[in-house]
Amino acid sequence: MAQFDDHPNVRIALRYHKAVARLAAPQELEEFLHPEMTHSQVPNALFPAGADRDRAETLAASARARTLLSAQRYDVVSAVASGDRVALEIKWSGTLAAGFGELPAGHVMRAHIAAFLDFRDGRIVAQRNYDCYEPFA
């Protein structure tokens, strides 16, 4: 059973991930992101060197996702807050809109994610993702 802290930043984090999951337009996602927001991804199967983005680059990446995926889902397993930080455990799945490498359109990719979000003024100012993708077979 999912466990969630009843904390205002957890509620924002969950709303944000629901918007991302439904491939919301970047303009909608802006409301969740602080102007000084940064997003870091540790190295993983999709980003072997990792990735560091500012707010504009994060929003551009969300726009690209709308062309790469036909659907995605974020199942939040747990969410806890400590001060201005929220930690999320997530099971993610994404259905490819078009072929990706050896994978055909319609293939469902899966990942297990730990995401840490820092808040300032009620908005996400930093996000760090640790994405563990299941084999792409």
Side-chain angles (χ1 to χ4, degrees):
M1 175 176 248
Q3 297 289 318
F4 305 123
D5 274 0
D6 185 25
H7 187 283
N9 290 340
V10 168
R11 290 192 293 273
I12 294 167
L14 295 175
R15 283 187 19 246
Y16 168 66
H17 277 82
K18 283 182 184 177
V20 172
R22 63 180 162 71
L23 299 166
Q27 299 84 339
E28 183 179 345
L29 297 178
E30 285 178 327
E31 75 176 78
F32 296 101
L33 307 179
H34 190 278
E36 297 174 17
M37 188 262 192
T38 60
H39 181 209
S40 299
Q41 289 183 292
V42 300
N44 60 57
L46 289 184
F47 299 98
D52 292 302
R53 300 180 185 98
D54 63 17
R55 182 177 189 247
E57 292 165 330
T58 298
L59 292 168
S62 76
R64 278 192 304 280
R66 295 171 58 133
T67 64
L68 300 172
L69 299 171
S70 60
Q72 66 178 342
R73 181 178 174 134
Y74 286 81
D75 291 320
V76 179
V77 176
S78 65
V80 295
S82 178
D84 289 330
R85 178 165 294 159
V86 171
L88 302 173
E89 178 185 3
I90 301 166
K91 291 182 181 178
W92 173 84
S93 61
T95 305
L96 293 174
F100 178 75
E102 302 280 323
L103 304 175
H107 179 81
V108 178
M109 299 172 63
R110 299 183 193 290
H112 305 269
I113 300 171
F116 298 88
L117 292 80
D118 295 328
F119 285 78
R120 185 184 311 152
D121 304 325
R123 294 170 133 191
I124 301 164
V125 71
Q127 179 175 346
R128 289 168 310 289
N129 276 58
Y130 298 80
D131 301 345
C132 300
Y133 290 90
E134 292 184 3
F136 297 148

Coordinates of all heavy atoms in Angstrom, one line a residue, residues 41-82:
Q41 N 19.9 14.2 -13.5 CA 19.7 12.7 -13.6 C 21.1 12.1 -13.5 O 22.0 12.5 -14.2 CB 19.1 12.4 -14.9 CG 17.6 12.8 -15.1 CD 17.0 12.3 -16.4 OE1 17.4 12.8 -17.4 NE2 16.1 11.4 -16.3
V42 N 21.2 11.1 -12.6 CA 22.4 10.4 -12.5 C 22.6 9.5 -13.7 O 21.6 9.2 -14.4 CB 22.5 9.6 -11.2 CG1 22.4 10.5 -10.0 CG2 21.5 8.5 -11.1
P43 N 23.8 9.1 -14.1 CA 23.9 8.2 -15.3 C 23.0 7.0 -15.2 O 22.8 6.4 -14.1 CB 25.4 7.8 -15.2 CG 26.1 8.9 -14.5 CD 25.0 9.4 -13.4
N44 N 22.4 6.7 -16.4 CA 21.5 5.5 -16.5 C 21.5 5.0 -17.9 O 22.3 5.5 -18.7 CB 20.1 5.9 -16.0 CG 19.5 7.0 -16.8 OD1 19.3 7.0 -18.0 ND2 19.1 8.1 -16.1
A45 N 20.7 4.1 -18.2 CA 20.7 3.5 -19.5 C 20.3 4.5 -20.6 O 20.8 4.3 -21.8 CB 19.7 2.3 -19.6
L46 N 19.5 5.4 -20.4 CA 19.1 6.4 -21.4 C 20.1 7.6 -21.4 O 20.3 8.2 -22.5 CB 17.7 7.0 -21.1 CG 16.6 6.0 -21.4 CD1 15.2 6.8 -21.2 CD2 16.6 5.5 -22.8
F47 N 20.7 7.9 -20.3 CA 21.6 9.1 -20.2 C 22.9 8.6 -19.6 O 23.1 8.8 -18.4 CB 21.0 10.2 -19.4 CG 19.8 10.8 -20.0 CD1 18.5 10.4 -19.5 CD2 19.8 11.7 -21.0 CE1 17.4 10.9 -20.0 CE2 18.7 12.2 -21.5 CZ 17.4 11.8 -21.1
P48 N 23.8 7.8 -20.3 CA 25.0 7.2 -19.8 C 25.9 8.2 -19.1 O 26.6 7.9 -18.1 CB 25.7 6.6 -21.0 CG 24.6 6.4 -22.0 CD 23.6 7.5 -21.8
A49 N 25.9 9.5 -19.5 CA 26.7 10.5 -18.8 C 25.9 11.3 -17.8 O 26.4 12.3 -17.2 CB 27.3 11.4 -19.9
G50 N 24.7 10.9 -17.6 CA 23.8 11.7 -16.7 C 23.3 12.9 -17.5 O 23.6 13.1 -18.7
A51 N 22.6 13.8 -16.8 CA 22.1 15.0 -17.4 C 21.9 16.1 -16.3 O 21.4 15.7 -15.2 CB 20.8 14.7 -18.1
D52 N 22.2 17.3 -16.6 CA 21.9 18.4 -15.8 C 21.2 19.5 -16.6 O 21.8 19.9 -17.7 CB 23.2 19.0 -15.2 CG 23.8 18.0 -14.2 OD1 23.1 17.7 -13.2 OD2 25.0 17.6 -14.4
R53 N 20.1 19.9 -16.2 CA 19.3 20.9 -16.9 C 18.8 22.0 -16.0 O 18.5 21.8 -14.9 CB 18.0 20.2 -17.5 CG 18.3 19.0 -18.4 CD 16.9 18.5 -18.9 NE 17.1 17.3 -19.7 CZ 17.0 16.0 -19.2 NH1 16.7 15.8 -18.0 NH2 17.2 15.0 -20.0
D54 N 18.7 23.2 -16.6 CA 18.0 24.3 -15.9 C 16.5 24.2 -16.2 O 16.0 23.2 -16.9 CB 18.6 25.6 -16.3 CG 18.4 26.0 -17.8 OD1 17.6 25.4 -18.5 OD2 19.1 26.9 -18.3
R55 N 15.8 25.2 -15.8 CA 14.3 25.1 -15.9 C 13.9 25.1 -17.4 O 13.0 24.3 -17.8 CB 13.7 26.4 -15.2 CG 12.2 26.4 -15.3 CD 11.7 27.6 -14.5 NE 10.3 27.6 -14.3 CZ 9.5 28.5 -14.8 NH1 10.0 29.5 -15.6 NH2 8.2 28.5 -14.6
A56 N 14.5 25.9 -18.2 CA 14.1 26.0 -19.6 C 14.4 24.7 -20.3 O 13.6 24.1 -21.1 CB 14.8 27.1 -20.3
E57 N 15.6 24.1 -20.0 CA 16.0 22.8 -20.6 C 15.0 21.7 -20.1 O 14.7 20.7 -20.8 CB 17.4 22.5 -20.3 CG 18.4 23.4 -20.9 CD 19.8 23.3 -20.4 OE1 19.9 23.1 -19.1 OE2 20.7 23.6 -21.1
T58 N 14.6 21.7 -18.8 CA 13.7 20.8 -18.3 C 12.4 20.8 -19.0 O 11.8 19.8 -19.4 CB 13.5 21.0 -16.8 OG1 14.8 20.8 -16.1 CG2 12.5 20.0 -16.2
L59 N 11.9 22.0 -19.3 CA 10.6 22.2 -20.0 C 10.7 21.7 -21.4 O 9.8 21.1 -22.0 CB 10.1 23.6 -19.9 CG 9.7 24.1 -18.5 CD1 9.5 25.6 -18.4 CD2 8.4 23.3 -18.0
A60 N 11.9 22.0 -22.0 CA 12.1 21.5 -23.4 C 12.1 20.0 -23.5 O 11.6 19.4 -24.4 CB 13.4 22.1 -24.0
A61 N 12.7 19.4 -22.5 CA 12.8 17.9 -22.4 C 11.4 17.3 -22.3 O 11.0 16.3 -22.8 CB 13.7 17.4 -21.3
S62 N 10.5 18.0 -21.5 CA 9.1 17.6 -21.3 C 8.4 17.7 -22.7 O 7.6 16.8 -23.0 CB 8.4 18.3 -20.2 OG 8.0 19.6 -20.6
A63 N 8.7 18.7 -23.5 CA 8.1 18.8 -24.8 C 8.5 17.7 -25.7 O 7.7 17.1 -26.5 CB 8.4 20.2 -25.4
R64 N 9.8 17.3 -25.6 CA 10.3 16.2 -26.4 C 9.7 14.9 -26.1 O 9.4 14.1 -26.9 CB 11.9 16.1 -26.3 CG 12.6 17.1 -27.2 CD 14.1 16.7 -27.2 NE 14.8 16.7 -25.9 CZ 15.2 17.7 -25.2 NH1 15.0 19.0 -25.7 NH2 15.8 17.6 -24.1
A65 N 9.4 14.7 -24.8 CA 8.8 13.5 -24.3 C 7.4 13.3 -24.9 O 7.0 12.2 -25.2 CB 8.7 13.5 -22.8
R66 N 6.8 14.4 -25.2 CA 5.4 14.3 -25.9 C 5.5 13.8 -27.3 O 4.5 13.2 -27.8 CB 4.8 15.7 -25.9 CG 4.5 16.3 -24.5 CD 4.1 17.7 -24.6 NE 2.9 17.8 -25.4 CZ 1.8 18.5 -25.1 NH1 1.7 19.2 -24.0 NH2 0.8 18.6 -26.0
T67 N 6.7 13.8 -27.9 CA 6.8 13.3 -29.2 C 7.4 11.8 -29.2 O 7.2 11.1 -30.1 CB 7.8 14.1 -30.1 OG1 9.1 14.1 -29.6 CG2 7.2 15.6 -30.2
L68 N 8.1 11.5 -28.1 CA 8.7 10.2 -28.0 C 7.7 9.1 -27.4 O 7.9 7.9 -27.7 CB 9.9 10.3 -27.1 CG 11.1 11.2 -27.6 CD1 12.2 11.3 -26.6 CD2 11.6 10.6 -28.9
L69 N 6.8 9.6 -26.5 CA 5.9 8.7 -25.8 C 4.5 8.9 -26.2 O 4.1 10.1 -26.3 CB 6.1 8.9 -24.3 CG 7.5 8.6 -23.7 CD1 7.5 9.1 -22.2 CD2 7.9 7.2 -23.8
S70 N 3.7 7.8 -26.3 CA 2.3 8.0 -26.5 C 1.6 8.0 -25.2 O 0.4 8.5 -25.1 CB 1.8 6.9 -27.4 OG 2.0 5.6 -26.8
A71 N 2.2 7.5 -24.2 CA 1.6 7.5 -22.8 C 2.7 7.2 -21.8 O 3.7 6.5 -22.2 CB 0.5 6.4 -22.7
Q72 N 2.5 7.6 -20.6 CA 3.4 7.2 -19.5 C 2.6 7.2 -18.2 O 1.6 7.8 -18.1 CB 4.6 8.1 -19.4 CG 4.4 9.5 -19.1 CD 5.7 10.3 -19.0 OE1 6.8 9.8 -18.9 NE2 5.6 11.6 -19.0
R73 N 3.2 6.5 -17.3 CA 2.5 6.4 -16.0 C 3.6 6.5 -14.9 O 4.7 5.9 -15.0 CB 1.8 5.0 -15.9 CG 1.1 4.7 -14.7 CD 0.4 3.4 -14.8 NE -0.3 3.1 -13.5 CZ -1.5 2.7 -13.4 NH1 -2.2 2.4 -14.5 NH2 -1.9 2.4 -12.2
Y74 N 3.3 7.2 -13.8 CA 4.1 7.3 -12.6 C 3.3 6.7 -11.5 O 2.3 7.4 -11.0 CB 4.5 8.7 -12.3 CG 5.5 9.3 -13.2 CD1 5.2 9.8 -14.5 CD2 6.8 9.4 -12.9 CE1 6.1 10.3 -15.3 CE2 7.8 9.9 -13.7 CZ 7.4 10.4 -14.9 OH 8.4 10.9 -15.8
D75 N 3.6 5.6 -11.0 CA 3.0 5.0 -9.8 C 3.9 5.3 -8.6 O 4.9 4.7 -8.5 CB 2.8 3.5 -10.0 CG 1.7 3.2 -11.0 OD1 0.7 3.9 -11.1 OD2 2.0 2.2 -11.8
V76 N 3.4 6.3 -7.8 CA 4.2 6.7 -6.6 C 4.0 5.6 -5.5 O 2.8 5.5 -5.1 CB 3.9 8.1 -6.2 CG1 4.7 8.5 -4.9 CG2 4.1 9.1 -7.3
V77 N 5.0 5.0 -5.1 CA 5.0 3.9 -4.1 C 5.0 4.6 -2.7 O 4.3 4.1 -1.8 CB 6.1 2.9 -4.3 CG1 6.1 1.9 -3.2 CG2 6.0 2.3 -5.7
S78 N 5.9 5.5 -2.6 CA 6.0 6.2 -1.3 C 6.4 7.7 -1.5 O 7.1 8.0 -2.5 CB 6.9 5.5 -0.3 OG 8.2 5.5 -0.8
A79 N 6.1 8.5 -0.5 CA 6.4 9.9 -0.6 C 6.6 10.4 0.9 O 5.7 10.3 1.7 CB 5.4 10.7 -1.3
V80 N 7.8 10.9 1.1 CA 8.0 11.5 2.5 C 8.6 12.9 2.3 O 9.3 13.2 1.4 CB 8.9 10.6 3.3 CG1 8.3 9.2 3.6 CG2 10.3 10.4 2.7
A81 N 8.4 13.7 3.3 CA 8.9 15.1 3.3 C 9.7 15.3 4.6 O 9.4 14.8 5.7 CB 7.8 16.1 3.3
S82 N 10.8 16.0 4.4 CA 11.6 16.5 5.6 C 11.9 17.9 5.3 O 12.7 18.2 4.4 CB 12.8 15.6 5.7 OG 13.6 16.1 6.8

